[in-house]
Amino acid sequence: MNFAKLMMALLLGMSAYAAEPELLEVRRIWDRAPHNAFTDLLHHKGEWFCVFREGKAHVSPDGALRVIVSKDGTRWESAALITSPNADLRDAKIGVTADGRLMLNGAAALHDQSKARHQSMVWFSKDGRQWDTGQNIGDPDFWLWRATWHEGRAYTIGYNTDKERAKRTIRLYRSDDGARFETVVPDLGIKNSPGENTLRFLKDGTCVCFLRRDVAPFSAQLGMAKPPYREWQWKDLAVRVGGPNFIELPDGRFVAASRLHDGTVRTSLSWLDIKAGTLQEFLKLPSGGDSSYAGLVWHEGLLWVSYYSSHEGKAAIYLAKIRIP
């Protein structure tokens, strides 16, 4: 390639990165319960699955996990409602196991807290309509927040739910089937109340963690580890977040979704630079107040984002489509 062609290629590349992401569409897709919140999103075998919690309030004893489905992302219908007489079910996350089953995990905030406050749980389904009765996973009072599959295994970080936030710790779990989780690292060594998190895996097998913290200075953490994921390096992102999630785009960039607290509380998309350890907001979604907990899917050249927000009244479920040059 001669010099002129090389410069043109570089300029075209720079212009593509300089172009602004565009919010193409956002619509409310569910608001039937008094409070609808904490979403996740999956596209599987030609269908969309959105999962979230329904209840009377942000925290209430009647919390249940709703599964809704759609062929086109526009018309949605209920597929299932998972309930418990003994707990408030919270923070639904959906994925696909190594053998092709749908896997729904969440946590039960127990009504009887004489032995434990929380118990993580998992349910399985072949079609998203009929789910099994569920089973406990992990250790009592460790909230296994999101399971991510890599090379036939599920990995998740569970955070301790001790009433004293300053005493909370996180540990790394691994499972071959999504039902039986073993501890890989009992304490990852992060202080200041580490909590909600998402794991993603790079092409070389490196595991990346985007982690929330709930005690001052509140700044989110970015962790990285090579197989077998026992030794971790952490960077401080210097931003307070809620409901952290992120996704790798086809061109290798990373988009993070989270609640941001600087100024007006909102649900936003940000560029996550895993090398520099920075988080830079680029698009505020229509949101405010009680909001965030996004699901992320890259589909047919667009970023699809499920989230919840109370900016139009009660907390409802929204779906956004974003074009990212």
Side-chain angles (χ1 to χ4, degrees):
M1 181 181 292
N2 63 33
F3 179 76
K5 289 183 177 180
L6 177 60
M7 290 302 297
M8 181 61 70
L10 289 172
L11 288 171
L12 288 173
M14 291 173 63
S15 65
Y17 274 73
E20 293 294 329
E22 179 184 3
L23 177 62
L24 300 179
E25 175 185 308
V26 61
R27 66 175 64 217
R28 185 190 297 202
I29 61 172
W30 198 266
D31 62 0
R32 297 185 187 180
H35 191 275
N36 312 266
F38 319 118
T39 81
D40 200 17
L41 187 67
L42 174 71
H43 190 261
H44 179 62
K45 293 184 176 180
E47 283 190 304
W48 288 98
F49 295 86
C50 185
V51 297
F52 49 91
R53 176 189 179 272
E54 289 186 338
K56 292 180 180 178
H58 187 103
V59 176
S60 57
D62 63 327
L65 305 184
R66 175 73 68 181
V67 182
I68 61 175
V69 297
S70 174
K71 292 290 187 182
D72 58 8
T74 300
R75 295 176 295 276
W76 293 82
E77 62 182 23
S78 176
L81 181 67
I82 297 174
T83 63
S84 170
N86 305 313
D88 167 15
L89 300 182
R90 306 186 64 83
D91 287 8
K93 302 290 181 286
I94 190 168
V96 181
T97 65
D99 61 5
R101 293 171 297 156
L102 290 172
M103 172 181 169
L104 180 69
N105 72 285
L110 302 172
H111 297 159
D112 179 2
Q113 299 189 355
S114 59
K115 296 182 179 179
R117 301 177 65 227
H118 298 93
Q119 177 62 58
S120 294
M121 298 186 66
V122 67
W123 299 262
F124 297 98
S125 173
K126 293 182 179 179
D127 61 3
R129 278 81 174 169
Q130 300 295 323
W131 295 83
D132 64 19
T133 57
Q135 56 190 295
N136 296 342
I137 56 173
D139 303 298
D141 284 332
F142 271 85
W143 198 313
L144 280 60
W145 208 64
R146 183 190 301 277
T148 302
W149 288 83
H150 174 66
E151 295 185 346
R153 286 176 163 175
Y155 292 83
T156 180
I157 287 179
Y159 66 94
N160 176 263
T161 58
D162 194 292
K163 287 184 178 180
E164 294 188 48
R165 290 181 180 269
K167 294 183 178 180
R168 292 184 179 181
T169 60
I170 52 173
R171 59 181 51 165
L172 178 66
Y173 291 91
R174 179 180 63 207
S175 174
D176 292 329
D177 59 5
R180 292 172 291 274
F181 282 82
E182 62 177 339
T183 301
V184 179
V185 183
D187 186 351
L188 290 170
I190 299 298
K191 306 300 182 183
N192 304 102
S193 189
E196 302 161 354
N197 59 86
T198 290
L199 299 177
R200 301 295 180 201
F201 291 85
L202 307 185
K203 293 179 179 62
D204 66 358
T206 298
C207 185
V208 182
C209 176
F210 180 26
L211 175 74
R212 168 181 175 172
R213 293 196 301 173
D214 285 325
V215 168
F218 299 104
S219 50
Q221 302 291 292
L222 181 72
M224 299 183 70
K226 300 283 188 181
Y229 312 118
R230 299 183 185 278
E231 301 293 331
W232 287 76
Q233 289 77 45
W234 296 90
K235 296 178 180 179
D236 192 311
L237 292 172
V239 178
R240 184 180 181 182
V241 305
N245 194 6
F246 71 109
I247 188 173
E248 184 177 7
L249 302 183
D251 63 10
R253 291 178 294 171
F254 291 89
V255 172
S258 65
R259 177 194 297 137
L260 296 179
H261 294 261
D262 54 317
T264 303
V265 176
R266 62 209 181 274
T267 297
S268 280
L269 301 179
S270 303
W271 296 119
L272 177 62
D273 189 327
I274 65 172
K275 292 183 179 180
T278 59
L279 193 69
Q280 182 179 0
E281 182 182 16
F282 68 82
L283 181 64
K284 174 188 177 296
L285 297 174
S287 59
D290 192 1
S291 178
S292 187
Y293 293 72
L296 300 171
V297 174
W298 182 262
H299 179 67
E300 295 183 346
L302 297 177
L303 181 62
W304 295 56
V305 183
S306 67
Y307 67 103
Y308 85 97
S309 180
S310 61
H311 66 290
E312 293 184 314
K314 70 177 182 179
I317 308 301
Y318 294 84
L319 182 67
K321 300 178 188 178
I322 297 96
R323 176 182 289 121
I324 299 180

